[in-house]
Amino acid sequence: MSSSKKASAALISVFHKDGLGPIVETLHAQGVTLYSTGGTETFIKEMGIPVVAVEDLTSYPSILGGRVKTLHPKVFGGILNRQDNEGDVAQLKEFEIPQLDIVIVDLYPFEKTVASGASEQDIIEKIDIGGISLIRAAAKNYKDVICVSDRADYADFLAILKTQDGATTLAQRKDFATRSFNTSSHYDTAIFNYFNGGSHIDKLKISETKGQVLRYGENPHQKGVFFGDFEAMFTKLHGKELSYNNLLDVDAAVQLMGEFKEDDPTFAILKHNNACGLATRDSLVTAYKDALAGDPVSAFGGVLIANRLIDIETAKEIHSLFCEVVIAPGFSDEAQELLQEKKNRILLVQNEVDLPQTQLRTCLNGFLLQEKDGITDALKDLQYVTDTQPDTAALEDLIFASKLCKHTKSNTIVLAKNKQLCASGTGQTSRVDALNQAIHKANSFSFDLNGAAMASDAFFPFPDCVEIAGNAGITSVIQPGGSIKDQLSINYCNENKISMVLTGTRHFKH
């Protein structure tokens, strides 16, 4: 049997009519009999094109308020019969069932209905039954039927009709079947996740229909793809395509700046998912300069993010630095024009979108899923455990450092002063090593640590960290607490007039 097959009949039943007209006109011109029902039938009739009502084919009306329209042997027999099976062909003739070679169906907008905040009853009514059944049937029988299940595929399907005079090849039908099973599986995943909103069933189902092939993965020898709606989150104004590593840094930058969204002008510079510069100031240009001062060496090739519109004064400072990405809520016209002079520099305007509240990663032969760390340490959470109490300025630095510590790879120690990152020790196997790294780095960039604040992502198992910090001039400490030897650290702080507060919340980041 030839793989090329010309259609004689098509079933069309869609919720969205956009872009359907040219397909209907082409099928009619090619002599294809059209079957339809409901609003689609009316749409075709209003085009002045003859159409057979499904109700006339089945001799049953649409019933139960439209819940049952196409669920009938005369419809599914026309789709599921095997044309190379003599028994199937004979039964089609016996029961007067037409062969349906084309099925064009879409689904009720379940996800949009959920997102709209509709009532549960309205959401339930948007669970498609007939459409999903038609898609599965037509896709299953791709040897004889082509299924078009998404408006995004209309252009491809129309091109096939026109260039091949209504005929389709087996490879094309299988391709469209693959697309259709993508449609149906995504739809079912959305329904399951709605019903399992409380996660009372420990099953994981993820479906993302938008994918972008990247130049490569983390390294040039690795393939990489980003799955997600990047355009919804960012308006890209300029620059090259983002790489796998760019996207990781952009994610880290967005997560970090989310902690400072409502603060005074704040600027951060990130490299390899960790901040190498961060400052909050009265003006954005000053915040940028002081963020850069945190580590002007690591800033080279970094990702920059601000919590305010980038003006021309700030843009002039940024322009002298080689950086991969600049992210902000907006750019002034002058700032954008200047920053675009570097053709590869990526400029992103961050849009207001809801971010996922869970985190997923591969682990062994499966996955690890966890809630996002949604706790930001605040003044109301602090437990004052030392004789010396932090003053207002110290408290501001402690909260500033704690916010950054939460978004830095463990083990980490963050040193801050006057709402500026002095240095951080990142990703160390020992908390002492992280502290020594931070002190060494701060000294190398000539920061005066006298009166600085220290934040730790986890408790101190011994008093060695507060002793090292005190010797470096640090006078205030914020940490979760919870060690059986907390009192040893508290005692050292009391003996050396260091203030320390406990948060009760660990912020590991691995």
Side-chain angles (χ1 to χ4, degrees):
M1 188 176 191
S2 172
S3 68
S4 181
K5 189 174 186 296
K6 190 165 184 177
S8 61
L11 172 64
I12 308 175
S13 180
V14 296
F15 185 87
H16 302 97
K17 314 299 186 295
D18 327 16
L20 183 63
I23 292 176
V24 171
E25 291 172 343
T26 301
L27 290 173
H28 173 61
Q30 292 174 346
V32 177
T33 301
L34 305 181
Y35 294 85
S36 192
T37 186
T40 310
E41 178 190 352
T42 301
F43 174 83
I44 296 172
K45 284 181 177 177
E46 289 176 350
M47 292 178 64
I49 292 176
V51 57
V52 179
V54 169
E55 292 83 351
D56 293 340
L57 171 63
T58 63
S59 299
Y60 270 91
S62 173
I63 62 173
L64 305 182
R67 281 190 164 198
V68 179
K69 291 184 285 191
T70 56
L71 296 168
H72 194 279
K74 281 204 170 183
V75 174
F76 282 85
I79 296 171
L80 284 166
N81 72 89
R82 296 157 291 188
Q83 286 290 289
D84 59 353
N85 184 297
E86 292 182 3
D88 286 7
V89 174
Q91 286 190 318
L92 287 188
K93 186 174 182 180
E94 177 185 356
F95 296 107
E96 298 180 333
I97 300 173
Q99 165 66 25
L100 297 173
D101 312 289
I102 299 171
V103 173
I104 303 175
V105 180
D106 64 7
L107 301 170
Y108 292 155
F110 178 82
E111 289 179 281
K112 286 185 178 179
T113 305
V114 172
S116 72
S119 68
E120 182 176 28
Q121 186 55 43
D122 287 341
I123 291 171
I124 297 302
E125 288 305 317
K126 287 299 184 288
I127 297 177
D128 207 310
I129 303 300
I132 202 81
S133 301
L134 290 168
I135 288 171
R136 290 180 65 84
K140 174 180 179 177
N141 201 28
Y142 68 87
K143 287 186 176 181
D144 294 302
V145 182
I146 188 165
C147 181
V148 184
S149 61
D150 191 325
R151 285 174 293 169
D153 296 330
Y154 282 3
D156 289 347
F157 180 60
L158 184 60
I160 291 171
L161 291 178
K162 289 183 173 181
T163 58
Q164 297 172 196
D165 193 27
T168 59
T169 67
L170 180 61
Q172 288 167 340
R173 296 192 295 275
K174 188 171 185 179
D175 173 53
F176 272 80
T178 303
R179 303 185 195 194
S180 296
F181 282 123
N182 174 56
T183 297
S184 64
S185 63
H186 178 78
Y187 196 76
D188 284 339
T189 295
I191 295 170
F192 170 79
N193 287 334
Y194 168 75
F195 277 89
N196 200 39
S199 299
H200 60 280
I201 298 177
D202 292 329
K203 306 295 180 185
L204 175 65
K205 297 189 187 301
I206 298 173
S207 178
E208 179 53 64
T209 57
K210 293 189 176 183
Q212 177 185 348
V213 177
L214 305 173
R215 297 196 303 275
Y216 49 81
E218 200 162 8
N219 299 293
H221 63 276
Q222 297 170 267
K223 294 180 180 179
V225 183
F226 171 72
F227 290 100
D229 193 352
F230 187 84
E231 289 73 22
M233 185 156 184
F234 297 103
T235 300
K236 184 180 176 186
L237 302 179
H238 180 73
K240 63 182 180 180
E241 292 299 314
L242 280 92
S243 69
Y244 182 99
N245 292 327
N246 287 155
L247 289 167
L248 287 177
D249 280 333
V250 167
D251 177 69
V254 167
Q255 302 294 341
L256 171 61
M257 194 53 69
E259 304 284 354
F260 298 89
K261 185 177 179 181
E262 305 301 329
D263 289 32
D264 288 338
T266 301
F267 214 106
I269 303 172
L270 288 90
K271 196 76 172 287
H272 294 292
N273 311 157
N274 293 304
C276 58
L278 177 71
T280 298
R281 294 291 182 262
D282 292 332
S283 69
L284 192 64
V285 64
T286 307
Y288 169 73
K289 288 178 180 179
D290 288 348
L292 180 63
D295 186 346
V297 176
S298 295
F300 182 86
V303 168
L304 282 56
I305 187 167
N307 69 346
R308 295 286 194 280
L309 179 143
I310 292 181
D311 53 30
I312 184 60
E313 290 78 17
T314 308
K316 286 177 180 177
E317 295 294 329
I318 294 171
H319 193 52
S320 62
L321 173 73
F322 169 72
C323 56
E324 291 274 334
V325 186
V326 184
I327 310 164
F331 297 79
S332 72
D333 291 341
E334 289 179 302
Q336 181 180 340
E337 183 178 357
L338 175 63
L339 294 174
Q340 286 181 173
E341 289 182 5
K342 299 289 179 67
K343 69 176 184 177
N344 288 330
R345 180 185 285 149
I346 300 165
L347 304 182
L348 300 176
V349 173
Q350 185 177 344
N351 303 320
E352 289 288 339
V353 297
D354 293 330
L355 295 174
Q357 295 305 302
T358 55
Q359 295 173 318
L360 177 72
R361 65 196 300 178
T362 58
C363 181
L364 302 176
N365 61 343
F367 301 90
L368 281 174
L369 177 71
Q370 70 169 353
E371 294 178 343
K372 187 177 177 180
D373 183 355
I375 295 178
T376 298
D377 297 328
L379 293 177
K380 63 180 178 58
D381 304 315
L382 304 183
Q383 179 185 358
Y384 299 84
V385 294
T386 52
D387 297 336
T388 301
Q389 301 285 296
D391 60 20
T392 301
L395 284 171
E396 289 182 348
D397 282 344
L398 289 171
I399 294 298
F400 175 92
S402 177
K403 289 179 179 180
L404 176 53
C405 196
K406 171 183 169 182
H407 293 275
T408 305
K409 189 172 180 64
S410 297
N411 285 313
T412 185
I413 293 289
V414 170
L415 306 181
K417 186 177 180 180
N418 299 326
K419 291 190 282 189
Q420 178 186 20
L421 170 63
C422 300
S424 58
T426 63
Q428 299 301 303
T429 54
S430 159
R431 197 157 303 281
V432 170
D433 287 346
L435 175 55
N436 285 328
Q437 181 190 53
I439 292 171
H440 173 76
K441 188 173 182 180
N443 290 334
S444 71
F445 289 113
S446 301
F447 279 100
D448 179 6
L449 292 180
N450 287 300
M454 175 174 76
S456 175
D457 58 341
F459 65 60
F460 299 123
F462 304 101
D464 45 7
C465 279
V466 290
E467 181 177 353
I468 294 168
N471 290 335
I474 291 160
T475 56
S476 57
V477 178
I478 186 170
Q479 56 123 334
S483 168
I484 59 174
K485 296 183 178 181
D486 273 347
Q487 193 60 46
L488 295 179
S489 293
I490 293 171
N491 292 342
Y492 181 87
C493 289
N494 285 334
E495 292 165 5
N496 293 274
K497 296 183 179 180
I498 297 172
S499 66
M500 183 163 68
V501 296
L502 306 183
T503 66
T505 303
R506 189 180 73 184
H507 293 294
F508 271 163
K509 182 173 185 283
H510 295 113

